[in-house]
Amino acid sequence: MGRIPHKRHTVFRKENGDLYYEELFGTIGFDGMSSLLYHEQRPTQVKRIVKSEDVSPKIAEEFNMKALSLNGFGLKPESDFLESRKIVMTNNDLHICLAAPQHSTTEYFYKNTDSDEVIFVHKGTGTLKTHLGNIPFEYGDYLLIPRGTIYQMHFDQEDNRLFIVESKHPVYTPKRYRNWFGQHLEHSPFCERDMFPPSELETHNEVGEFLLKVKKQEQMHHYVYAAHPFSVVGYDGYNYPYKFSIHDFEPITGRVHMPPPIHQTFETKAFVICSFVPRMYDYHPEAIPAPYHHSNIDSDEVLYYVDGDFMSRNHIEKGQITLHPAGIPHGPHPGAAERSIGKKSTEELAVMVDTFAPLKITETGAKLVEGDYYTSWLEH
Ligand SMILES: [Fe+2]
């Protein structure tokens, strides 16, 4: 994207004869994905560090063993993007956050240095502006933002709802859907054509004072830089943000019930993200389309309900989150299995996050908990 020299690490000059500033934007030491960037301004011009604040989540329930239901849309909208982001569940591998930001980020830039961020857009349209280019977004988009990406969220309206996963581990598409080289295979529910990198590079050459909020080790460090953070004139490589729409996920269906891994969209060492999308139901004449009970002995299961009628659950609202903790079985609500027999298709739309380590409930999360969901399977 943009302009780059013919050879890496060679002379690349501006019109006035000065050199552009080269930066390797890489991961996992020099072993992971990287991009090679060319800046108008040095990316290192720190003027001062104003303050550092603790933004670590406050835990309400350390050892949760209850199936929980949270009213996600119960979260109050707030003006600022970062202020509006609330961690509702967490462990050492990830934060699960909700956000209802009303206004675009204009006063500062943001960078998460120890987590990849996956932002699922439930409501709202706008543009993700990054130092590697801009990505327009809309309802249903997953925005994949690699750690270290400097960004701002620009919204077209005030009514926005985001479901965000901050991952301490790099987020990839499942390995089993890729060939030895990394290309998506024919049986993958999506392919490269469904992935959208930045479509426009906005280069700023301004100098002055630019606030960059840098998140590291649950602290937010306020850096003032002397040059605009979006000063890249060009780059190439594999480390950049992209978007993938949940509406482009092609469901895998079968004659009898297919297990949750068919919905898998992203993977990390410590959790997976799955997309439940509108699809035809199982077509065996005696098939029960509702899921069977399952004991996910070693993974917590978080479902974020986006749209449609969720067939295995009663009383589900948009923006609702259920958590089924590891160690105890869960399954369809009373009546759901019977109700599903003979049904041809579903319009359900949901995002699932299955974590291999147990999740803690934060104070914000606990405030959104509704009712005694863990007793909702009782027949009488
Ligand atoms: Fe489940």
Side-chain angles (χ1 to χ4, degrees):
M1 173 156 252
R3 290 177 299 121
I4 55 174
H6 182 61
K7 271 276 172 197
R8 56 187 176 178
H9 322 317
T10 60
V11 170
F12 181 34
R13 291 192 190 280
K14 304 175 188 176
E15 263 180 25
N16 69 4
D18 291 348
L19 287 170
Y20 283 109
Y21 304 100
E22 191 181 47
E23 178 196 4
L24 185 73
F25 180 58
T27 57
I28 319 177
F30 286 81
D31 222 29
M33 287 192 283
S34 67
S35 289
L36 202 51
L37 284 47
Y38 297 87
H39 292 270
E40 285 277 4
Q41 302 283 340
R42 279 180 209 283
T44 45
Q45 299 181 66
V46 178
K47 264 190 154 170
R48 58 185 182 276
I49 300 166
V50 183
K51 62 172 175 177
S52 301
E53 10 168 36
D54 181 31
V55 291
S56 53
K58 306 284 173 282
I59 306 302
E61 181 54 67
E62 179 93 24
F63 306 105
N64 177 62
M65 269 300 276
K66 268 186 193 166
L68 297 175
S69 171
L70 282 67
N71 169 22
F73 278 10
L75 186 78
K76 242 179 60 225
E78 285 185 49
S79 174
D80 177 63
F81 170 61
L82 284 183
E83 293 292 323
S84 79
R85 285 168 60 134
K86 306 289 185 207
I87 300 170
V88 292
M89 297 171 195
T90 184
N91 65 26
N92 287 336
D93 304 309
L94 80 165
H95 297 318
I96 293 175
C97 322
L98 292 171
Q102 293 169 307
H103 296 113
S104 300
T105 327
T106 52
E107 304 298 305
Y108 61 90
F109 301 84
Y110 167 60
K111 169 163 91 167
N112 194 333
T113 65
D114 43 23
S115 288
D116 285 18
E117 294 191 354
V118 181
I119 301 181
F120 177 78
V121 181
H122 192 170
K123 262 189 177 185
T125 58
T127 306
L128 167 69
K129 295 192 169 199
T130 83
H131 76 304
L132 297 171
N134 299 340
I135 302 177
F137 62 79
E138 60 185 8
Y139 164 55
D141 283 339
Y142 288 105
L143 299 169
L144 274 286
I145 306 174
R147 63 202 56 203
T149 305
I150 301 171
Y151 77 86
Q152 289 183 327
M153 289 290 275
H154 286 250
F155 300 101
D156 297 332
Q157 62 290 304
E158 289 196 4
D159 186 17
N160 306 293
R161 290 278 169 183
L162 309 170
F163 175 76
I164 304 172
V165 177
E166 285 184 48
S167 171
K168 301 278 163 61
H169 310 278
V171 178
Y172 305 128
T173 56
K175 184 75 184 80
R176 71 176 186 283
Y177 289 140
R178 289 187 277 119
N179 66 16
W180 61 271
F181 184 72
Q183 184 181 9
H184 288 100
L185 291 162
E186 283 293 311
H187 71 293
S188 171
F190 44 79
C191 70
E192 287 73 13
R193 200 175 292 188
D194 303 313
M195 313 280 175
F196 293 88
S199 52
E200 169 200 31
L201 187 62
E202 202 178 300
T203 307
H204 290 264
N205 201 6
E206 297 103 275
V207 292
E209 302 227 325
F210 301 88
L211 177 61
L212 177 60
K213 297 187 182 180
V214 181
K215 188 173 181 186
K216 186 177 178 184
Q217 294 179 299
E218 312 306 339
Q219 309 294 303
M220 196 71 81
H221 305 284
H222 293 223
Y223 275 68
V224 176
Y225 275 87
H228 196 294
F230 295 172
S231 80
V232 173
V233 297
Y235 67 94
D236 67 349
Y238 282 69
N239 196 28
Y240 52 82
Y242 69 93
K243 77 169 167 184
F244 168 67
S245 172
I246 196 169
H247 306 305
D248 284 331
F249 186 96
E250 293 303 327
I252 296 168
T253 57
R255 222 162 85 90
V256 293
H257 191 81
M258 302 289 277
I262 55 138
H263 305 285
Q264 197 187 337
T265 313
F266 302 109
E267 74 182 6
T268 74
K269 277 184 193 161
F271 67 91
V272 299
I273 298 178
C274 301
S275 304
F276 286 77
V277 302
R279 62 190 181 281
M280 302 304 288
Y281 270 146
D282 322 327
Y283 51 90
H284 185 292
E286 297 287 304
I288 298 178
Y292 33 80
H293 295 89
H294 46 282
S295 290
N296 42 351
I297 289 296
D298 46 17
S299 73
D300 275 22
E301 226 178 75
V302 176
L303 256 174
Y304 178 73
Y305 302 90
V306 180
D307 207 353
D309 197 21
F310 216 79
M311 52 102 164
S312 61
R313 302 261 165 275
N314 306 333
H315 317 299
I316 287 294
E317 301 291 332
K318 287 181 190 182
Q320 195 168 335
I321 299 178
T322 56
L323 167 63
H324 300 129
I328 52 170
H330 64 276
H333 272 137
E338 199 66 57
R339 208 161 57 220
S340 75
I341 298 170
K343 290 266 168 65
K344 296 287 179 237
S345 62
T346 174
E347 291 302 308
E348 71 188 15
L349 194 67
V351 175
M352 185 167 79
V353 182
D354 282 9
T355 67
F356 308 148
L359 287 162
K360 300 163 192 184
I361 314 303
T362 66
E363 288 177 1
T364 311
K367 281 186 196 134
L368 297 173
V369 169
E370 284 190 325
D372 285 337
Y373 176 70
Y374 70 102
T375 63
S376 63
W377 287 268
L378 287 172
E379 292 270 9
H380 309 289

